[in-house]
Amino acid sequence: MGDDSDGTAAATTPPIDTERYTGTLRTGGTVVLGADRLVVDRGDEPVVVDLDDVVEVSLQDIDWFLAVMSVALIGFGLLSLDRSVLLGGAFAVAGAGSLALTYRKRYTLRVQVTGRTDPLRCFPADPQALLAELEQALAD
């Protein structure tokens, strides 16, 4: 009865047997680290990664170059307001938008996985704790 060959039984089983870490993402969703898998659920279809396939894990701090350039763009726009309000305002708004996007992408957890060209990126609410647990799980 429980042995279906069409795969429906596999879809109802949970992807994580034992949880080592459960947390939320800043962008909405959850991240669950199990004994042998990492599951990132952003609301649509969850991404399941076997820990055996993980090549590298890193925590990317804020991109300081982009942050400084954004602040410089805001400053240039504010200084240009006396020449052209429209153009100076456009530069200041573009710099503020760039700074906001740069701030949103701070503490990105990057997981390089075998078979994927680009790394899996997520924005955990507590990135240091997840990184420590993930490194511990990879060391085991």
Side-chain angles (χ1 to χ4, degrees):
M1 180 174 171
D3 187 20
D4 291 336
S5 61
D6 62 353
T8 57
T12 60
T13 59
I16 298 290
D17 294 337
T18 57
E19 295 179 5
R20 293 180 68 138
Y21 175 86
T22 302
T24 60
L25 299 174
R26 289 192 319 249
T27 56
T30 59
V31 59
V32 178
L33 175 64
D36 59 346
R37 290 186 182 150
L38 175 69
V39 178
V40 178
D41 187 5
R42 296 184 182 117
D44 48 353
E45 186 172 331
V47 178
V48 179
V49 175
D50 288 331
L51 291 182
D52 294 335
D53 296 338
V54 173
V55 177
E56 180 184 5
V57 176
S58 64
L59 187 63
Q60 182 179 354
D61 195 12
I62 192 167
D63 188 357
W64 287 105
F65 177 76
L66 191 56
V68 169
M69 292 302 292
S70 299
V71 169
L73 192 60
I74 292 170
F76 178 76
L78 293 177
L79 289 175
S80 300
L81 283 176
D82 60 345
R83 289 187 179 198
S84 173
V85 174
L86 184 62
L87 194 58
F91 274 107
V93 167
S98 175
L99 187 62
L101 288 176
T102 302
Y103 182 74
R104 271 189 65 197
K105 292 182 180 181
R106 73 195 183 286
Y107 296 123
T108 304
L109 184 71
R110 298 177 58 175
V111 180
Q112 186 66 41
V113 181
T114 303
R116 287 183 65 147
T117 55
D118 57 336
L120 172 65
R121 297 176 189 196
C122 64
F123 305 100
D126 189 6
Q128 299 293 342
L130 178 58
L131 179 65
E133 284 293 327
L134 194 52
E135 287 176 343
Q136 181 65 33
L138 291 173
D140 291 345

